[in-house]
Amino acid sequence: MSKPSDTPETSEKQFEDVEFGEDLPEVDVDVSLDTVKVFAKASMMLADRFTDHEAAKKAGLPGAIVPGIMSQGILVAAIHAWAPNAKVLNVDTIFRAPLLVDSKPVASGVVTDIDDDTKVIEVDLTLRNEKGETPVVGTAKVTL
Amino acid sequence: MTAAELLAEYGDHVFDEIDLEIEADSLVGFATACGETHPRFVDPSHADFQGVPNYLTRIHGTRSLPEGFPVEMHRCFDAGKSIQVHQPVRQGDRVTGRSEIHDIYEKSGRTGTMLFIVHRMNFYNQGGDPLATVDWRLVQREFD
């Protein structure tokens, strides 16, 4: 439901192809109300702060918010948009601020470590909103 | 109580256990809403069909904290989640999740002290094989 901003790698990526400091293709993320409702149903996260702007405002939020684990999944998907064959070993995500439903965030990442012995690649991940803020950041370790 | 005292009293034991069967619709909905497009995540007929790496973060136990744990949930927020993937979760798996308090610690700054509670869930499949370890960082503000 999200679309890479740049032409994605569609073929499998090899460990030898990855460079330290390499940017992952930015992904325009779909956090529309309809898509968040799909996620909420699939994950049984049925609280209306995720799926109803008015209910979220009554709860003191600026609007409906994207579930944190959906943001995490979006960052994982950004890894797969870069390297479809990537095997994610772990991902750690920090929720700094709410990400609003119907906003237009962009997912990005950069390769921050490459271990030639273990073949593990570390990637820093970011979800950026229209204001340039980064409400969700994370790191992941992957192999190819 | 201090963080160390809380950890001594409530840490290091399983306080909740749940199990549930993994359904294809849930795996596909979670993946597509996050923007995954690879058939191994979105096509149940694919030979390697599996959940996305952070799929199990959606599963919560019957309670967030041990009975009697002295925290005020209305003063808490979700600071982040990490997942260590041991092996993919698949359609039809009967998953067991066991909850424990993994760590409790304090951080102090200009605005006061915050209490960090690391809620850990270990997930296993029907064969007892470990699937994932999920850590949820819950933070209480103005801890004193």
Side-chain angles (χ1 to χ4, degrees):
Chain A
M1 292 189 175
S2 301
K3 298 173 183 174
S5 308
D6 303 319
T7 302
E9 294 284 345
T10 53
S11 59
E12 292 195 348
K13 187 176 271 294
Q14 305 300 314
F15 177 81
E16 294 74 18
D17 300 332
V18 179
E19 295 183 14
F20 176 78
E22 176 178 341
D23 290 318
L24 278 60
E26 291 197 338
V27 177
D28 294 328
V29 174
D30 176 3
V31 291
S32 64
L33 193 58
D34 285 346
T35 297
V36 173
K37 285 180 176 176
V38 170
F39 183 86
K41 181 181 178 186
S43 59
M44 294 297 289
M45 297 184 73
L46 302 175
D48 54 13
R49 67 179 179 278
F50 302 127
T51 56
D52 185 328
H53 285 298
E54 293 309 312
K57 288 175 181 173
K58 286 179 182 173
L61 296 163
I65 60 174
V66 178
I69 62 170
M70 181 173 171
S71 295
Q72 185 181 61
I74 288 166
L75 292 175
V76 170
I79 294 172
H80 290 135
W82 165 67
N85 55 315
K87 179 182 178 185
V88 176
L89 306 177
N90 64 52
V91 57
D92 187 359
T93 314
I94 298 171
F95 308 132
R96 292 170 159 172
L99 180 66
L100 298 180
V101 173
D102 288 327
S103 63
K104 303 289 183 188
V106 174
S108 61
V110 60
V111 174
T112 54
D113 194 40
I114 300 173
D115 190 319
D116 289 320
D117 295 328
T118 63
K119 307 298 184 192
V120 172
I121 298 161
E122 188 164 316
V123 182
D124 277 12
L125 300 159
T126 302
L127 269 179
R128 185 178 72 244
N129 65 20
E130 301 96 319
K131 297 178 182 175
E133 301 162 333
T134 53
V136 184
V137 297
T139 60
K141 290 183 178 177
V142 307
T143 56
L144 300 175
Chain B
M1 296 176 80
T2 66
E5 289 169 339
L6 286 170
L7 185 59
E9 181 162 344
Y10 293 100
D12 202 28
H13 72 276
V14 174
F15 66 84
D16 189 54
E17 180 173 317
I18 62 159
D19 66 350
L20 76 164
E21 187 168 328
I22 303 302
E23 298 177 352
D25 286 352
S26 176
L27 295 175
V28 171
F30 191 112
T32 55
C34 291
E36 295 282 6
T37 58
H38 197 286
R40 75 181 186 276
F41 298 125
V42 300
D43 179 1
S45 68
H46 190 272
D48 193 29
F49 179 58
Q50 59 185 261
V52 294
N54 74 318
Y55 174 81
L56 290 172
T57 59
R58 67 168 277 269
I59 298 174
H60 301 276
T62 61
R63 56 182 309 124
S64 298
L65 294 166
E67 190 170 355
F69 192 93
V71 71
E72 299 173 57
M73 289 300 290
H74 68 279
R75 290 166 66 187
C76 293
F77 62 92
D78 184 352
K81 272 208 167 116
S82 68
I83 181 165
Q84 183 177 3
V85 182
H86 305 305
Q87 62 175 287
V89 61
R90 298 184 187 277
Q91 174 185 5
D93 273 351
R94 190 80 200 175
V95 171
T96 299
R98 300 191 179 106
S99 301
E100 62 187 50
I101 298 300
H102 176 64
D103 198 8
I104 303 175
Y105 54 94
E106 299 167 34
K107 285 186 177 180
S108 295
R110 284 183 294 114
T111 58
T113 300
M114 296 193 290
L115 181 71
F116 287 72
I117 304 157
V118 181
H119 171 286
R120 171 167 288 183
M121 285 191 81
N122 286 301
F123 292 96
Y124 306 86
N125 66 13
Q126 59 280 2
D129 303 316
L131 294 175
T133 300
V134 175
D135 284 347
W136 170 38
R137 291 183 295 277
L138 182 68
V139 179
Q140 180 180 322
R141 298 179 192 273
E142 302 164 16
F143 175 68
D144 49 33

